[in-house]
Structures are given as structure tokens and as C-alpha cells.
């Protein structure tokens, strides 16, 4: 997946974004985020989590925002906006109904293939 992402970035002529460190590609469990790169001002998740992943909320910087589809696979899902204010208080707002693919772990995505 990382090789495919790199090729797509290169095909768009944007390889300097990787070279300059503006984009970092990592293999991991998206439900857990990437704590060592945080805290983040913004997190966007492109697949639905069955419940709001607390790890992602914890990685938001004060003043940060997380946008994530939440709900069961094939069920009622909503696009949720999670904001952390400057004091660290978290608020959650359901924006509208959506239908996304599930946010899964590496084993489910790759069906047992070794990475």
C-alpha cells in the first residue's frame, strides 16, 4: 500500500512532499492513529469506526478537530466532528448520515498477507 501511495504521489509530480517531510507514509492500525507524530491540529479518517476511537481523540492538539465517520459496517453511520478546545475539553457533533467502508486492522485488510 505504501509503494502504491508513493507511486501515485510521484505520478502527480509531488515527490518533494515526501522528501521534505510534509508527507510521511506509515504502516499501522489507523484506529490507533500515529501518536509519535502528534499532537495534531486536524485528523481526517476515511473509513468508518464502529465507535469513536479514543486514541485519535487523545492525539488531538488543544484547538484541534477530528472528522470521522462512526457507526457499524452496513448500518447507521454518521460523519462526526470532534473538537478539543484550548483547555482540552472535547465536544462531539454529528454532522450528517453517511455510508463508509469499515476502518479495520491490518489482518482484515490484507486477509493474512504478510507486510
Amino acid at each position: 500500500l505504501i509503494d502504491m501511495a508513493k507511486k501515485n504521489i510521484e505520478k502527480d509530480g509531488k515527490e518533494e512532499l515526501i522528501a521534505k517531510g510534509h508527507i510521511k507514509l506509515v504502516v499501522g492500525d489507523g484506529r490507533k492513529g500515529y501518536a509519535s507524530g502528534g499532537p495534531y491540529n486536524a485528523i481526517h479518517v476515511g473509513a468508518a469506526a464502529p465507535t469513536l476511537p479514543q486514541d485519535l481523540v487523545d492525539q488531538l492538539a488543544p484547538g484541534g478537530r477530528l472528522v470521522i465517520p462512526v457507526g457499524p459496517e452496513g448500518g447507521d453511520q454518521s460523519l462526526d466532528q470532534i473538537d478539543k478546545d484550548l483547555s482540552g475539553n472535547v465536544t462531539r457533533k454529528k454532522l450528517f448520515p453517511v455510508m463508509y467502508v469499515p476502518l479495520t486492522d491490518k489482518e482484515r485488510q490484507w486477509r493474512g498477507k504478510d507486510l
Side-chain angles (χ1 to χ4, degrees):
L1 200 52
I2 283 182
D3 290 337
M4 184 171 67
K6 283 181 185 176
K7 287 177 186 174
N8 285 333
I9 291 167
E10 291 168 0
K11 191 168 35 173
D12 286 342
K14 303 293 183 182
E15 54 274 353
E16 75 277 358
L17 294 174
I18 295 173
K20 292 180 180 178
H22 296 294
I23 293 177
K24 184 173 186 173
L25 303 171
V26 296
V27 173
D29 187 335
R31 299 168 303 169
K32 298 184 183 299
Y34 186 62
S36 65
Y40 301 99
N41 294 321
I43 300 172
H44 172 265
V45 180
T51 60
L52 180 62
Q54 187 60 45
D55 287 335
L56 297 180
V57 176
D58 293 344
Q59 292 172 40
L60 277 178
R65 175 171 289 169
L66 164 64
V67 177
I68 181 171
V70 179
E73 181 177 359
D76 291 330
Q77 299 176 354
S78 61
L79 191 65
D80 292 5
Q81 174 181 308
I82 291 79
D83 292 306
K84 184 181 283 188
D85 70 18
L86 296 178
S87 298
N89 299 310
V90 175
T91 57
R92 180 176 181 178
K93 178 180 177 183
K94 291 185 181 221
L95 300 176
F96 47 82
V98 294
M99 179 71 73
Y100 277 74
V101 297
L103 183 61
T104 63
D105 60 18
K106 181 176 78 171
E107 285 71 32
R108 183 165 175 199
Q109 287 181 17
W110 288 93
R111 308 256 191 266
K113 292 181 185 175
D114 190 28
L115 288 181

PDB file of all heavy atoms in Angstrom, residues 2 5 8 17 21 39-40 45 51 57 59 64 70 79-80 85 96 98 104 108 111:
ATOM      1  N   ILE A   2       1.946   1.223   0.775  1.00  0.00           N
ATOM      2  CA  ILE A   2       2.844   2.378   0.799  1.00  0.00           C
ATOM      3  C   ILE A   2       3.508   2.558  -0.566  1.00  0.00           C
ATOM      4  O   ILE A   2       3.623   3.678  -1.057  1.00  0.00           O
ATOM      5  CB  ILE A   2       3.896   2.246   1.927  1.00  0.00           C
ATOM      6  CG1 ILE A   2       3.230   2.566   3.260  1.00  0.00           C
ATOM      7  CG2 ILE A   2       5.077   3.177   1.685  1.00  0.00           C
ATOM      8  CD1 ILE A   2       4.151   2.532   4.438  1.00  0.00           C
ATOM      9  N   ALA A   5       1.062   4.192  -2.813  1.00  0.00           N
ATOM     10  CA  ALA A   5       0.894   5.604  -2.456  1.00  0.00           C
ATOM     11  C   ALA A   5       2.073   6.431  -2.967  1.00  0.00           C
ATOM     12  O   ALA A   5       1.881   7.513  -3.532  1.00  0.00           O
ATOM     13  CB  ALA A   5       0.755   5.750  -0.944  1.00  0.00           C
ATOM     14  N   ASN A   8       1.776   6.939  -6.697  1.00  0.00           N
ATOM     15  CA  ASN A   8       0.748   7.925  -7.027  1.00  0.00           C
ATOM     16  C   ASN A   8       1.228   9.349  -6.755  1.00  0.00           C
ATOM     17  O   ASN A   8       0.954  10.267  -7.526  1.00  0.00           O
ATOM     18  CB  ASN A   8      -0.548   7.648  -6.257  1.00  0.00           C
ATOM     19  CG  ASN A   8      -1.302   6.467  -6.817  1.00  0.00           C
ATOM     20  OD1 ASN A   8      -1.187   6.145  -7.997  1.00  0.00           O
ATOM     21  ND2 ASN A   8      -2.067   5.814  -5.973  1.00  0.00           N
ATOM     22  N   LEU A  17       7.140  16.428  -1.541  1.00  0.00           N
ATOM     23  CA  LEU A  17       6.382  16.448  -0.291  1.00  0.00           C
ATOM     24  C   LEU A  17       6.861  15.368   0.665  1.00  0.00           C
ATOM     25  O   LEU A  17       6.900  15.573   1.880  1.00  0.00           O
ATOM     26  CB  LEU A  17       4.882  16.285  -0.573  1.00  0.00           C
ATOM     27  CG  LEU A  17       4.217  17.424  -1.339  1.00  0.00           C
ATOM     28  CD1 LEU A  17       2.779  17.070  -1.678  1.00  0.00           C
ATOM     29  CD2 LEU A  17       4.293  18.729  -0.569  1.00  0.00           C
ATOM     30  N   GLY A  21       9.461  15.970   4.050  1.00  0.00           N
ATOM     31  CA  GLY A  21       8.817  15.570   5.290  1.00  0.00           C
ATOM     32  C   GLY A  21       7.412  16.109   5.479  1.00  0.00           C
ATOM     33  O   GLY A  21       6.839  15.995   6.565  1.00  0.00           O
ATOM     34  N   PRO A  39       1.003  15.913  18.892  1.00  0.00           N
ATOM     35  CA  PRO A  39      -0.439  16.043  18.686  1.00  0.00           C
ATOM     36  C   PRO A  39      -0.748  16.733  17.354  1.00  0.00           C
ATOM     37  O   PRO A  39       0.086  17.440  16.789  1.00  0.00           O
ATOM     38  CB  PRO A  39      -0.904  16.879  19.875  1.00  0.00           C
ATOM     39  CG  PRO A  39       0.274  17.694  20.247  1.00  0.00           C
ATOM     40  CD  PRO A  39       1.486  16.847  19.919  1.00  0.00           C
ATOM     41  N   TYR A  40      -1.973  16.516  16.872  1.00  0.00           N
ATOM     42  CA  TYR A  40      -2.391  17.006  15.563  1.00  0.00           C
ATOM     43  C   TYR A  40      -3.453  18.095  15.681  1.00  0.00           C
ATOM     44  O   TYR A  40      -4.359  17.997  16.504  1.00  0.00           O
ATOM     45  CB  TYR A  40      -2.960  15.844  14.732  1.00  0.00           C
ATOM     46  CG  TYR A  40      -1.966  14.736  14.520  1.00  0.00           C
ATOM     47  CD1 TYR A  40      -1.994  13.594  15.302  1.00  0.00           C
ATOM     48  CD2 TYR A  40      -0.993  14.843  13.537  1.00  0.00           C
ATOM     49  CE1 TYR A  40      -1.073  12.573  15.105  1.00  0.00           C
ATOM     50  CE2 TYR A  40      -0.067  13.829  13.334  1.00  0.00           C
ATOM     51  CZ  TYR A  40      -0.116  12.701  14.126  1.00  0.00           C
ATOM     52  OH  TYR A  40       0.801  11.697  13.932  1.00  0.00           O
ATOM     53  N   VAL A  45     -10.445  10.927   9.013  1.00  0.00           N
ATOM     54  CA  VAL A  45     -10.456   9.478   8.857  1.00  0.00           C
ATOM     55  C   VAL A  45     -11.371   9.141   7.690  1.00  0.00           C
ATOM     56  O   VAL A  45     -12.504   9.627   7.629  1.00  0.00           O
ATOM     57  CB  VAL A  45     -10.926   8.784  10.155  1.00  0.00           C
ATOM     58  CG1 VAL A  45     -10.925   7.274   9.981  1.00  0.00           C
ATOM     59  CG2 VAL A  45     -10.042   9.196  11.327  1.00  0.00           C
ATOM     60  N   THR A  51     -17.071   2.581  16.751  1.00  0.00           N
ATOM     61  CA  THR A  51     -17.218   3.558  17.834  1.00  0.00           C
ATOM     62  C   THR A  51     -16.076   4.557  17.697  1.00  0.00           C
ATOM     63  O   THR A  51     -15.081   4.297  17.011  1.00  0.00           O
ATOM     64  CB  THR A  51     -17.153   2.888  19.225  1.00  0.00           C
ATOM     65  OG1 THR A  51     -15.879   2.246  19.367  1.00  0.00           O
ATOM     66  CG2 THR A  51     -18.261   1.870  19.408  1.00  0.00           C
ATOM     67  N   VAL A  57      -8.832  10.735  19.527  1.00  0.00           N
ATOM     68  CA  VAL A  57      -9.217  11.917  20.306  1.00  0.00           C
ATOM     69  C   VAL A  57      -8.037  12.366  21.161  1.00  0.00           C
ATOM     70  O   VAL A  57      -7.733  13.559  21.243  1.00  0.00           O
ATOM     71  CB  VAL A  57     -10.451  11.618  21.184  1.00  0.00           C
ATOM     72  CG1 VAL A  57     -10.790  12.802  22.071  1.00  0.00           C
ATOM     73  CG2 VAL A  57     -11.649  11.237  20.316  1.00  0.00           C
ATOM     74  N   GLN A  59      -4.972  12.125  20.564  1.00  0.00           N
ATOM     75  CA  GLN A  59      -3.888  12.686  19.761  1.00  0.00           C
ATOM     76  C   GLN A  59      -4.190  14.081  19.214  1.00  0.00           C
ATOM     77  O   GLN A  59      -3.338  14.699  18.591  1.00  0.00           O
ATOM     78  CB  GLN A  59      -3.540  11.726  18.625  1.00  0.00           C
ATOM     79  CG  GLN A  59      -2.900  10.449  19.136  1.00  0.00           C
ATOM     80  CD  GLN A  59      -2.725   9.401  18.075  1.00  0.00           C
ATOM     81  OE1 GLN A  59      -2.366   9.691  16.948  1.00  0.00           O
ATOM     82  NE2 GLN A  59      -2.990   8.154  18.428  1.00  0.00           N
ATOM     83  N   GLY A  64      -7.715  21.447  18.296  1.00  0.00           N
ATOM     84  CA  GLY A  64      -7.739  20.546  17.144  1.00  0.00           C
ATOM     85  C   GLY A  64      -9.124  20.009  16.825  1.00  0.00           C
ATOM     86  O   GLY A  64     -10.052  20.095  17.632  1.00  0.00           O
ATOM     87  N   VAL A  70     -18.585   7.373  11.887  1.00  0.00           N
ATOM     88  CA  VAL A  70     -18.734   6.452  13.011  1.00  0.00           C
ATOM     89  C   VAL A  70     -20.030   5.666  12.856  1.00  0.00           C
ATOM     90  O   VAL A  70     -21.082   6.241  12.549  1.00  0.00           O
ATOM     91  CB  VAL A  70     -18.752   7.210  14.357  1.00  0.00           C
ATOM     92  CG1 VAL A  70     -18.928   6.240  15.518  1.00  0.00           C
ATOM     93  CG2 VAL A  70     -17.482   8.025  14.547  1.00  0.00           C
ATOM     94  N   LEU A  79     -21.193  11.171   9.969  1.00  0.00           N
ATOM     95  CA  LEU A  79     -19.918  11.873   9.941  1.00  0.00           C
ATOM     96  C   LEU A  79     -19.897  12.759  11.183  1.00  0.00           C
ATOM     97  O   LEU A  79     -20.780  13.609  11.359  1.00  0.00           O
ATOM     98  CB  LEU A  79     -19.761  12.708   8.675  1.00  0.00           C
ATOM     99  CG  LEU A  79     -18.353  13.254   8.451  1.00  0.00           C
ATOM    100  CD1 LEU A  79     -17.359  12.112   8.218  1.00  0.00           C
ATOM    101  CD2 LEU A  79     -18.315  14.206   7.279  1.00  0.00           C
ATOM    102  N   ASP A  80     -18.944  12.518  12.061  1.00  0.00           N
ATOM    103  CA  ASP A  80     -18.873  13.226  13.335  1.00  0.00           C
ATOM    104  C   ASP A  80     -17.697  14.191  13.358  1.00  0.00           C
ATOM    105  O   ASP A  80     -16.637  13.910  12.791  1.00  0.00           O
ATOM    106  CB  ASP A  80     -18.733  12.236  14.497  1.00  0.00           C
ATOM    107  CG  ASP A  80     -19.978  11.398  14.718  1.00  0.00           C
ATOM    108  OD1 ASP A  80     -20.934  11.503  13.923  1.00  0.00           O
ATOM    109  OD2 ASP A  80     -19.992  10.633  15.692  1.00  0.00           O
ATOM    110  N   ASP A  85     -11.077  21.890  22.734  1.00  0.00           N
ATOM    111  CA  ASP A  85     -10.830  23.322  22.937  1.00  0.00           C
ATOM    112  C   ASP A  85      -9.450  23.534  23.561  1.00  0.00           C
ATOM    113  O   ASP A  85      -8.728  22.582  23.866  1.00  0.00           O
ATOM    114  CB  ASP A  85     -11.958  23.983  23.727  1.00  0.00           C
ATOM    115  CG  ASP A  85     -12.034  23.577  25.186  1.00  0.00           C
ATOM    116  OD1 ASP A  85     -11.041  23.039  25.740  1.00  0.00           O
ATOM    117  OD2 ASP A  85     -13.093  23.802  25.804  1.00  0.00           O
ATOM    118  N   PHE A  96     -23.959  14.571   9.659  1.00  0.00           N
ATOM    119  CA  PHE A  96     -24.995  14.039   8.767  1.00  0.00           C
ATOM    120  C   PHE A  96     -24.752  12.551   8.544  1.00  0.00           C
ATOM    121  O   PHE A  96     -23.656  12.049   8.798  1.00  0.00           O
ATOM    122  CB  PHE A  96     -25.034  14.799   7.429  1.00  0.00           C
ATOM    123  CG  PHE A  96     -23.697  15.017   6.794  1.00  0.00           C
ATOM    124  CD1 PHE A  96     -23.083  14.027   6.039  1.00  0.00           C
ATOM    125  CD2 PHE A  96     -23.034  16.227   6.946  1.00  0.00           C
ATOM    126  CE1 PHE A  96     -21.846  14.233   5.446  1.00  0.00           C
ATOM    127  CE2 PHE A  96     -21.796  16.439   6.350  1.00  0.00           C
ATOM    128  CZ  PHE A  96     -21.202  15.450   5.603  1.00  0.00           C
ATOM    129  N   VAL A  98     -23.955   9.036   6.722  1.00  0.00           N
ATOM    130  CA  VAL A  98     -23.011   8.635   5.669  1.00  0.00           C
ATOM    131  C   VAL A  98     -22.981   7.120   5.554  1.00  0.00           C
ATOM    132  O   VAL A  98     -23.553   6.412   6.388  1.00  0.00           O
ATOM    133  CB  VAL A  98     -21.578   9.153   5.953  1.00  0.00           C
ATOM    134  CG1 VAL A  98     -21.502  10.669   5.899  1.00  0.00           C
ATOM    135  CG2 VAL A  98     -21.065   8.643   7.293  1.00  0.00           C
ATOM    136  N   THR A 104     -10.553  -0.912   9.584  1.00  0.00           N
ATOM    137  CA  THR A 104     -10.203  -2.255  10.049  1.00  0.00           C
ATOM    138  C   THR A 104      -8.739  -2.348  10.450  1.00  0.00           C
ATOM    139  O   THR A 104      -7.959  -1.416  10.246  1.00  0.00           O
ATOM    140  CB  THR A 104     -10.464  -3.298   8.941  1.00  0.00           C
ATOM    141  OG1 THR A 104      -9.616  -3.007   7.838  1.00  0.00           O
ATOM    142  CG2 THR A 104     -11.907  -3.277   8.499  1.00  0.00           C
ATOM    143  N   ARG A 108      -7.352  -7.877   8.735  1.00  0.00           N
ATOM    144  CA  ARG A 108      -8.597  -7.922   7.963  1.00  0.00           C
ATOM    145  C   ARG A 108      -8.405  -7.311   6.570  1.00  0.00           C
ATOM    146  O   ARG A 108      -8.949  -7.795   5.599  1.00  0.00           O
ATOM    147  CB  ARG A 108      -9.710  -7.198   8.710  1.00  0.00           C
ATOM    148  CG  ARG A 108     -11.017  -7.285   7.966  1.00  0.00           C
ATOM    149  CD  ARG A 108     -12.188  -6.910   8.795  1.00  0.00           C
ATOM    150  NE  ARG A 108     -13.381  -6.921   7.961  1.00  0.00           N
ATOM    151  CZ  ARG A 108     -14.491  -6.317   8.259  1.00  0.00           C
ATOM    152  NH1 ARG A 108     -14.592  -5.658   9.372  1.00  0.00           N
ATOM    153  NH2 ARG A 108     -15.503  -6.361   7.440  1.00  0.00           N
ATOM    154  N   ARG A 111      -6.061  -9.822   4.576  1.00  0.00           N
ATOM    155  CA  ARG A 111      -6.507 -11.220   4.572  1.00  0.00           C
ATOM    156  C   ARG A 111      -5.340 -12.195   4.791  1.00  0.00           C
ATOM    157  O   ARG A 111      -5.168 -13.165   4.085  1.00  0.00           O
ATOM    158  CB  ARG A 111      -7.210 -11.560   3.267  1.00  0.00           C
ATOM    159  CG  ARG A 111      -8.309 -10.600   2.913  1.00  0.00           C
ATOM    160  CD  ARG A 111      -9.675 -11.208   3.175  1.00  0.00           C
ATOM    161  NE  ARG A 111     -10.742 -10.421   2.602  1.00  0.00           N
ATOM    162  CZ  ARG A 111     -11.419  -9.493   3.243  1.00  0.00           C
ATOM    163  NH1 ARG A 111     -11.108  -9.180   4.475  1.00  0.00           N
ATOM    164  NH2 ARG A 111     -12.413  -8.840   2.672  1.00  0.00           N
TER     165      ARG A 111
END
